[in-house]
């Protein structure tokens, strides 16, 4: 019934280190099992957690206005699709602001750099004029 996709050999069930039925569940390190590290929540997952109820209610209100029947359902995939669209807008707006701020900083630093080089040139010309007037 179950076979290898490459050689079509019979598959044999073995104990998986770290599984609850395994005898090694209490001594996970004996099989070299390291538990999965818990990852931090992503910006999108936090955004969905914060906005999904609001998005669902907004979609429900839109559907009720456009539909003549009394019962209207909003499915989870529809909510996730709308959350994805809103996240994309949110990221675009924030990335534009970040880009603008970064470009302003770059322009500001370039202006400072140009100002410093001009000051050096003016100082050099001033020294040359002083040397000419003294010599």
């Amino acid at each position: 019934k179950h076979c290898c996709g490459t050689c079509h050999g019979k598959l044999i069930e073995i104990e998986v280190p770290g599984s609850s039925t395994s005898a090694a569940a209490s001594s996970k390190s004996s099989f070299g099992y390291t538990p999965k590290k818990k990852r931090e929540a992503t910006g999108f997952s936090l955004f969905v957690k914060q906005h999904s109820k609001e998005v669902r209610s907004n979609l429900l209100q839109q559907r009720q206005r456009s539909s003549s029947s009394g019962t209207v359902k909003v499915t989870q995939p529809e909510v996730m699709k709308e959350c994805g669209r809103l996240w994309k807008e949110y990221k675009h707006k924030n990335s534009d602001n970040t880009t603008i701020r970064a470009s302003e900083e770059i322009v500001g630093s370039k202006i400072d750099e140009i100002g410093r080089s001009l000051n050096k040139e003016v100082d050099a010309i001033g020294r040359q004029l002083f040397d000419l007037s003294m010599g």
Side-chain angles (χ1 to χ4, degrees):
K1 197 174 186 178
H2 297 284
C3 64
C4 174
T6 305
C7 68
H8 302 290
K10 187 177 179 182
L11 296 178
I12 301 169
E13 189 174 338
I14 60 170
E15 284 188 13
V16 178
S19 68
S20 60
T21 59
S22 140
S26 60
S27 62
K28 293 176 182 173
S29 62
S30 65
F31 284 103
Y33 174 77
T34 54
K36 203 176 198 183
K37 291 182 182 176
K38 187 143 182 134
R39 291 190 295 178
E40 301 238 350
T42 63
F44 177 69
S45 65
L46 294 173
F47 182 85
V48 169
K49 187 175 183 179
Q50 185 177 7
H51 293 92
S52 63
K53 287 181 184 178
E54 180 183 333
V55 167
R56 185 178 294 276
S57 66
N58 288 343
L59 286 173
L60 192 60
Q61 288 174 359
Q62 288 174 359
R63 298 262 170 87
Q64 286 174 344
R65 285 186 212 132
S66 64
S67 176
S68 59
S69 65
T71 58
V72 178
K73 291 185 179 180
V74 177
T75 64
Q76 184 64 18
E78 293 169 335
V79 172
M80 291 303 292
K81 187 174 183 178
E82 183 65 16
C83 283
R85 187 187 65 75
L86 292 172
W87 173 251
K88 194 172 184 180
E89 286 179 11
Y90 174 79
K91 269 183 58 174
H92 183 68
K93 286 178 185 176
N94 288 340
S95 70
D96 286 348
N97 292 339
T98 304
T99 305
I100 289 169
R101 278 188 240 118
S103 62
E104 286 174 350
E105 289 175 12
I106 290 170
V107 168
S109 66
K110 289 289 183 188
I111 289 172
D112 291 341
E113 186 179 321
I114 291 169
R116 284 191 296 272
S117 67
L118 285 175
N119 284 339
K120 288 178 185 177
E121 289 179 31
V122 167
D123 288 343
I125 292 171
R127 277 190 233 110
Q128 288 175 352
L129 288 173
F130 180 75
D131 290 342
L132 288 174
S133 65
M134 296 304 258

